Amino acid sequence: MHWFKYKNALLYGLSLALLLLLLQWLEFRFLVLSHSMEVYVGFIALLFTGLGVWLALKLAKPKKETIVIEKEVHIPAPTEFTLNQNELERLGISKRELEVLQLMSEGLSNAEIAERLFVSLNTIKTHSSKLFEKLDVKRRTQAVEAAKRLQLIP
Amino acid sequence: MHWFKYKNALLYGLSLALLLLLLQWLEFRFLVLSHSMEVYVGFIALLFTGLGVWLALKLAKPKKETIVIEKEVHIPAPTEFTLNQNELERLGISKRELEVLQLMSEGLSNAEIAERLFVSLNTIKTHSSKLFEKLDVKRRTQAVEAAKRLQLIP
DNA sequence: AACCCGGTCATACTTTAGTATGATTTTGCC
DNA sequence: GGCAAAATCATACTAAAGTATGACCGGGTT
């Protein structure tokens, strides 16, 4: 049924034809009746002005306005961890101290951490004490809390 | 300077006046030169059709067609916490024990937890000992780790 | 060479955490 | 009312955590 595409064109063509016919008739009438030329021409002008307006309104392409709506989508995804280097430097936390912090957050005891890093228990105690100072906390549990908040550990 | 409002109206009025003048002149010309009526009227029709189109395009409110595009935006957002009741029951963890667990995860010491819950330090020790058993861990840091993994705490 | 810093370790001590055991009270439930 | 689980508390102890202080070493800076 692709003739639908031409429906409008056909309609306009017919309308135009009808108008021309009307024009002919009017011309005849006015000439015969010897009415004034001005009225006739005025009428034509009015008529075709109307036609123009109508055509324009019908055929004018609508302006497309795109509205982008941002839709929030909650992704339970594991926001991949990226270390906050700035905070590290700001707090003056060294590489070794960060290692200790990470193992702490995994629930290891000082003794286990010492074993992992091949150093003595006392060394780990020193590291953790300095860490608590730098993180301004009192206990390892608070240290883990703070470190996670500051993006120092996952 | 409110006369600006009528600028367009004035402009259109003037244009119309000019057109009428042109009309008069054309009429004179065609009548004097005895040109055919049809050509004259056709010209008028064309002219005013154009005028109509122009008027319509100028004055009509532009048709707007809104296109809505939904754009997905990833929000690293606060994955809202929902307690895992199943795990709680499976491990046989009581309400009170869960409370203690939560305060533990906030980095509170046993003494501080006792103060918060208006009970003795020994009570908290008992609770935490039972918790470690149920969670199959040895230390509070591991307990917090495990509890977070099992969705018992945020 | 003198200096600082990070890392290491030790000793000595205090505090907190965690275990074991037993007892009493509270509470929900049949 | 009586039972069981939960909650409370105590004593006594061990283990771990945390503090304070001082020392040593090696790499990099001035």
Side-chain angles (χ1 to χ4, degrees), chain B:
Chain B
M1 299 292 189
H2 60 287
W3 61 268
F4 265 123
K5 289 181 183 174
Y6 309 112
K7 202 182 68 172
N8 277 346
L10 268 170
L11 223 73
Y12 296 147
L14 273 171
S15 300
L16 216 69
L18 266 169
L19 270 169
L20 288 177
L21 223 70
L22 182 65
L23 218 61
Q24 287 288 18
W25 178 73
L26 278 171
E27 185 179 355
F28 170 77
R29 288 268 303 170
F30 276 108
L31 281 182
V32 164
L33 298 176
S34 298
H35 274 159
S36 76
M37 191 67 188
E38 283 79 7
V39 174
Y40 173 59
V41 169
F43 182 78
I44 296 299
L46 227 75
L47 198 70
F48 277 83
T49 301
L51 175 69
V53 167
W54 178 73
L55 269 174
L57 289 180
K58 276 287 170 187
L59 297 176
K61 288 175 186 172
K63 285 183 182 177
K64 275 186 184 175
E65 190 173 286
T66 60
I67 296 175
V68 174
I69 296 176
E70 288 197 353
K71 186 181 181 185
E72 288 196 355
V73 175
H74 285 211
I75 303 276
T79 316
E80 74 285 345
F81 173 72
T82 47
L83 194 140
N84 189 337
Q85 204 77 38
N86 286 356
E87 280 299 311
L88 259 190
E89 286 172 26
R90 190 177 69 80
L91 298 172
I93 293 176
S94 70
K95 276 174 286 178
R96 202 56 157 172
E97 284 165 348
L98 184 62
E99 279 187 274
V100 173
L101 193 51
Q102 283 171 307
L103 295 174
M104 254 184 199
S105 76
E106 293 173 20
L108 300 201
S109 69
N110 285 340
E112 288 167 339
I113 297 174
E115 211 175 333
R116 284 271 192 103
L117 302 181
F118 304 107
V119 295
S120 84
L121 171 60
N122 287 310
T123 303
I124 300 303
K125 285 189 175 185
T126 308
H127 283 320
S128 50
S129 266
K130 288 188 176 177
L131 266 173
F132 300 157
E133 246 183 85
K134 291 173 181 176
L135 288 170
D136 192 30
V137 297
K138 291 199 183 72
R139 281 172 286 285
R140 50 173 59 243
T141 46
Q142 286 182 349
V144 171
E145 254 275 88
K148 287 197 174 182
R149 190 169 38 78
L150 298 173
Q151 299 244 282
L152 304 180
I153 50 177

Side-chain angles (χ1 to χ4, degrees), chain A residues 94 96 119-120 122-123 127:
Chain A
S94 70
R96 201 56 158 171
V119 294
S120 83
N122 286 311
T123 303
H127 283 319

Side-chain angles (χ1 to χ4, degrees), chain A residues 18-50:
Chain A
L18 267 169
L19 270 170
L20 288 177
L21 224 70
L22 181 65
L23 216 60
Q24 286 289 16
W25 178 73
L26 279 171
E27 185 179 354
F28 172 76
R29 289 268 304 169
F30 276 109
L31 280 180
V32 166
L33 299 176
S34 300
H35 273 162
S36 78
M37 192 64 189
E38 283 79 7
V39 174
Y40 172 59
V41 168
F43 182 76
I44 295 300
L46 228 76
L47 198 68
F48 277 83
T49 302

